[in-house]
Amino acid sequence: VIDKHLPYFIFRAICALATLALFRFKATGKENIPEKGGFLIASNHTSYLDPIAVGVACPRRLNYMARHDLFKNALFAWILKYSCAFPVKRKSADLGALKEAMRRLKNGEGLLVFPEGGRQTNVYLSKPEAGVGFLAAKSGVPVIPAFVSGTDRAWPRNAKFIKPATNISVHFGKQIYIEGRMPYQDIARKIMENIRHLSC
């Protein structure tokens, strides 16, 4: 029987080889990723390379929320599907995407989210969206903050080409304990503060 997630691990292996060949890549804090059960990684987001960097750094398989319009291209939609990504409509309360995220977390899987929504140039000025607070509170899974650096230099916003030999690092912080009775926006702010703390 062929593992249904085999395409994911093939894509991940290709991404890992490309990342190690093109960049000076380092990942720390992997011990903070739980060995089993659902978990939520919340990361800063400055470049299209961020999902790849976090996916390569994480020792467990990840699911991804991807912008819904990326699924319009049939080939790209196929790649996203088999990379364990599912569509989300940004800047809106996409209940379908939140339900799918909850389903995967409750199923014992890992999920990568970017609390800022889209790419931001300054992690200290950005505001997190309440959706990450909702997922953290309702799922009850461990939340692991992550800080990615160097991807904004390796593939800057509006740049057509990547810059090889750039230093890229991913650091996973310690698990955050969430108080379920807190407002979702307050939980999102707490998670974002932990991400910012990793940048120091």
Side-chain angles (χ1 to χ4, degrees):
V1 178
I2 298 175
D3 188 335
K4 66 178 180 178
H5 297 305
L6 180 60
Y8 173 92
F9 291 108
I10 292 173
F11 291 147
R12 184 184 183 275
I14 293 170
C15 289
L17 288 171
T19 299
L20 295 174
L22 290 171
F23 309 111
R24 292 188 285 269
F25 185 75
K26 181 175 69 173
T28 56
K30 292 181 183 181
E31 67 277 5
N32 295 315
I33 305 296
E35 294 183 2
K36 59 183 179 179
F39 64 99
L40 185 66
I41 292 179
S43 172
N44 64 311
H45 191 19
T46 61
S47 167
Y48 286 135
L49 288 174
D50 296 332
I52 295 173
V54 177
V56 169
C58 183
R60 286 182 59 190
R61 182 175 61 81
L62 287 177
N63 292 269
Y64 304 85
M65 283 180 161
R67 207 173 66 226
H68 74 284
D69 55 348
L70 295 175
F71 287 81
K72 291 180 179 179
N73 178 285
L75 176 60
F76 203 45
W78 182 84
I79 293 173
L80 288 169
K81 176 185 176 182
Y82 285 102
S83 297
C84 298
F86 58 96
V88 58
K89 293 180 180 177
R90 291 194 330 205
K91 306 299 180 185
S92 68
D94 189 340
L95 296 180
L98 289 174
K99 286 180 180 178
E100 180 60 22
M102 287 290 295
R103 186 188 71 79
R104 298 191 187 201
L105 290 170
K106 292 289 188 180
N107 199 37
E109 302 178 38
L111 175 68
L112 169 64
V113 294
F114 299 113
E116 300 159 291
R119 290 169 297 156
Q120 303 292 331
T121 56
N122 192 324
V123 71
Y124 290 97
L125 299 178
S126 58
K127 286 182 61 178
E129 296 182 1
V132 67
F134 172 86
L135 289 174
K138 291 296 186 181
S139 67
V141 301
V143 179
I144 297 96
F147 186 77
V148 184
S149 65
T151 50
D152 56 332
R153 295 185 298 276
W155 194 356
R157 196 164 192 154
N158 300 321
K160 292 183 179 180
F161 304 102
I162 62 173
K163 297 180 180 179
T166 306
N167 289 319
I168 293 178
S169 66
V170 178
H171 181 57
F172 298 112
K174 293 183 178 179
Q175 295 179 13
I176 305 170
Y177 296 94
I178 300 300
E179 173 54 64
R181 291 186 294 272
M182 289 173 62
Y184 300 144
Q185 190 64 60
D186 289 349
I187 295 173
R189 290 194 192 100
K190 178 179 179 180
I191 292 171
M192 201 68 218
E193 282 301 315
N194 277 266
I195 295 172
R196 290 176 182 134
H197 180 72
L198 295 176
S199 71
C200 300

